Amino acid sequence: MLITENQFKDELLETILDNAFHCVVVVDANGVITYINKAYCDFIKVNQTESIGKHVTDVIENTRMHIVAKTGKEEIADLQYIEGNYMIADRIPIFRNGESVGAVGTVTYRDTEEWRTMNSHIKNLLTELEYYRNVQEENTGAKYSLHDIVGKSTQIMVMKDRIKKVATSEVAVLIRGESGTGKELFAHSIHQLSERSNKPFIKVNCGAIPEQLLESELFGYEEGAFTGAKKGGKLGKFQLADGGTLLLDEIGDMPMHMQVKLLRVLQEKEVESVGSVKPVKVDVRVLAATNKPLEKMVEEQRFREDLFYRINVIQINIPSLRERPEDIEQLSQHFLQKINKRTGRRILGMHENVTRRFAKHNWPGNARELENVMEAAVHMCQGEWITQDALPDYLKEDTVMALGAKSLKEILEDTEKRVLRAALREHHGDKLQAAKSLRIGKTSLYDKLKKYGVEF
């Protein structure tokens, strides 16, 4: 049989790639594997012939090949966790007539010993990075970074790009989104990427502080300012955040008289403690967060228009979980790993029927609701895989609960009760151990047990 020059070239190229030390994979514009070499198949323990034609996410864990093929943006020297180890991955888009039609990816290692050495070095660096991150958290109060925002949806990618752009500026940012979408997470990320990252990050929940105490919490007080005032006085959140960032969470709940005082601080960049006669200059970048319709509140004269424009220089709108269903599975796995690590459980994943149920649910409580559901499911799970039996009752029903059938508060309380019962059951009624497994204080556990009437 006559072998053409092109056939010879194709066979030669395939032979070279199959015998290379590098792992190589090629996907089309839809993320479907069109080629994967033998080295990659041997490494991840899959059949080469059966892998071709499958979506890359079904074959390679933590891959981003399909994203690169879709966006046309290359990713060089990215860390990828595969088969229990960190590898270095390069992902290059393939263009035809100016349009991305696929991507080629490589995972680099020359031999087993070199790979182990590299992996050990990376793990050591990550451990060191985690140490310094913990030190910074202790010193500044900022816990999260952009890497803690989990999701592969277009909306999340756009949000991350937007955060990178606004973080380096000094402008005020208003973060908006439904309850449970992670507004505080985004605020932490802005601070971490800013020039103020080594300075304090202070959060104030405007809706959680009694109205009569809010002024002293924000601006502090002098000794003898009122009955019960501490000796020596107390610094307010603005003074504590000097040089850094202050997050005014739930700013829509701030009373009108405090809005006037806040506006003055933002305009004059100085605060006057309760009982003081001399203002103090402060250098604070203010971020605000809310799930309230501030524009409507302005119309109803429940929120000052001048303050609204002062805090709304740049607006970030976080999409709800139901608007980005492609993130549900990745978030579920993220929460599962987090809960496994904290509790010492070894739950491997979720059955397909659970994944399908999650995809159909409206998630009115967003990521917070999903995390609570995963927490309950891990504690209720009998084996290594989460089944529908481990889910809260409202997710077991044949018909998906309509949005509004229960309030967000009722949904979260139902889930919290199940978690409390499961924790007590798992620790045979030992409340101290149950509190430790849930990472809450013993007093907080007793308060919740009393609130819900949970007994063991």
Side-chain angles (χ1 to χ4, degrees), residues 85 115 132 136 140 190 234 243 262 267 277 295 307 313 389 392 427 435:
N85 292 286
W115 162 63
Y132 286 115
Q136 185 179 34
T140 68
I190 291 172
K234 179 185 175 183
L262 173 62
Q267 288 174 335
V277 294
E295 292 87 350
L307 177 60
V313 179
D389 292 338
H427 296 285

Side-chain angles (χ1 to χ4, degrees), residues 138-369:
E138 186 177 332
N139 291 337
T140 68
K143 298 179 182 178
Y144 310 108
S145 70
L146 204 61
H147 297 292
D148 294 304
I149 300 174
V150 177
K152 60 183 180 181
S153 63
T154 302
Q155 297 99 313
I156 288 296
M157 293 298 111
V158 169
M159 293 295 297
K160 286 187 174 184
D161 286 340
R162 188 167 175 79
I163 285 174
K164 290 175 185 176
K165 291 174 183 176
V166 304
T168 54
S169 68
E170 287 291 306
V171 297
V173 179
L174 178 61
I175 305 170
R176 311 186 75 163
E178 295 179 7
S179 180
T181 49
K183 295 185 287 295
E184 185 178 345
L185 200 70
F186 283 82
H188 280 254
S189 300
I190 291 172
H191 174 76
Q192 295 280 34
L193 290 172
S194 74
E195 296 297 321
R196 298 172 178 263
S197 59
N198 292 322
K199 298 295 183 179
F201 176 87
I202 304 294
K203 173 195 169 186
V204 182
N205 189 325
C206 302
I209 301 173
E211 186 174 330
Q212 64 272 22
L213 299 179
L214 188 55
E215 182 176 1
S216 60
E217 278 295 311
L218 284 175
F219 311 134
Y221 58 79
E222 298 294 315
E223 182 178 340
F226 49 83
T227 304
K230 281 184 180 181
K231 186 177 181 179
K234 179 185 175 183
L235 294 176
K237 301 299 185 185
F238 269 91
Q239 293 100 315
L240 292 172
D242 190 28
T245 305
L246 177 67
L247 170 62
L248 298 174
D249 199 11
E250 305 299 345
I251 194 169
D253 293 329
M254 181 176 283
M256 286 293 285
H257 76 277
M258 281 303 301
Q259 292 179 30
V260 177
K261 295 182 178 181
L262 173 62
L263 181 63
R264 182 183 177 279
V265 171
L266 297 180
Q267 288 174 335
E268 305 298 329
K269 299 188 184 303
E270 59 184 26
V271 298
E272 192 170 308
S273 302
V274 177
S276 174
V277 294
K278 184 179 179 182
V280 177
K281 287 286 183 182
V282 288
D283 172 26
V284 176
R285 183 185 187 181
V286 173
L287 308 177
T290 186
N291 60 1
K292 297 286 181 66
L294 294 186
E295 292 87 350
K296 184 177 180 182
M297 293 177 67
V298 168
E299 290 177 8
E300 296 171 351
Q301 297 186 345
R302 292 188 293 128
F303 198 88
R304 290 185 62 94
E305 184 176 18
D306 45 7
L307 177 60
F308 173 69
Y309 289 119
R310 173 68 65 172
I311 64 173
N312 190 33
V313 179
I314 291 179
Q315 190 171 130
I316 290 179
N317 293 289
I318 306 174
S320 64
L321 193 53
R322 62 183 170 276
E323 294 177 89
R324 47 189 182 97
E326 59 268 48
D327 288 339
I328 294 173
E329 187 172 353
Q330 189 175 354
L331 269 171
S332 301
Q333 292 298 327
H334 169 73
F335 291 139
L336 178 58
Q337 291 173 14
K338 179 179 171 184
I339 297 163
N340 273 339
K341 184 178 179 180
R342 190 179 73 237
T343 62
R345 299 291 298 272
R346 290 183 61 85
I347 308 300
L348 300 178
M350 304 177 295
H351 277 191
E352 288 185 8
N353 55 1
V354 173
T355 304
R356 287 195 296 270
R357 177 67 71 194
F358 281 8
K360 291 179 181 178
H361 185 54
N362 282 314
W363 299 108
N366 293 294
R368 185 183 295 130
E369 181 190 356

Side-chain angles (χ1 to χ4, degrees), residues 54-79:
K54 290 184 177 180
H55 195 274
V56 67
T57 55
D58 295 328
V59 178
I60 303 172
E61 63 180 320
N62 300 314
T63 183
R64 289 178 52 82
M65 288 292 295
H66 56 301
I67 298 173
V68 171
K70 182 179 180 180
T71 62
K73 294 181 180 179
E74 68 176 28
E75 297 180 354
I76 303 297
D78 184 40
L79 281 183

Side-chain angles (χ1 to χ4, degrees), residues 319-441:
S320 64
L321 193 53
R322 62 183 170 276
E323 294 177 89
R324 47 189 182 97
E326 59 268 48
D327 288 339
I328 294 173
E329 187 172 353
Q330 189 175 354
L331 269 171
S332 301
Q333 292 298 327
H334 169 73
F335 291 139
L336 178 58
Q337 291 173 14
K338 179 179 171 184
I339 297 163
N340 273 339
K341 184 178 179 180
R342 190 179 73 237
T343 62
R345 299 291 298 272
R346 290 183 61 85
I347 308 300
L348 300 178
M350 304 177 295
H351 277 191
E352 288 185 8
N353 55 1
V354 173
T355 304
R356 287 195 296 270
R357 177 67 71 194
F358 281 8
K360 291 179 181 178
H361 185 54
N362 282 314
W363 299 108
N366 293 294
R368 185 183 295 130
E369 181 190 356
L370 177 57
E371 183 171 15
N372 286 346
V373 167
M374 292 302 297
E375 182 91 44
V378 167
H379 282 90
M380 297 298 291
C381 186
Q382 298 299 315
E384 293 183 328
W385 293 85
I386 294 173
T387 63
Q388 282 202 43
D389 292 338
L391 299 180
D393 292 338
Y394 72 90
L395 280 171
K396 290 180 184 177
E397 298 168 6
D398 292 333
T399 55
V400 180
M401 185 185 71
L403 185 61
K406 279 189 177 182
S407 69
L408 173 59
K409 183 180 179 182
E410 290 171 328
I411 291 169
L412 296 178
E413 286 181 348
D414 286 347
T415 306
E416 194 168 33
K417 279 187 279 187
R418 285 174 57 83
V419 172
L420 291 170
R421 291 194 185 101
L424 286 172
R425 191 181 305 111
E426 184 173 324
H427 296 285
H428 309 290
D430 188 328
K431 294 183 176 63
L432 181 59
Q433 289 303 316
K436 284 183 178 179
S437 71
L438 297 174
R439 297 184 75 179
I440 60 175

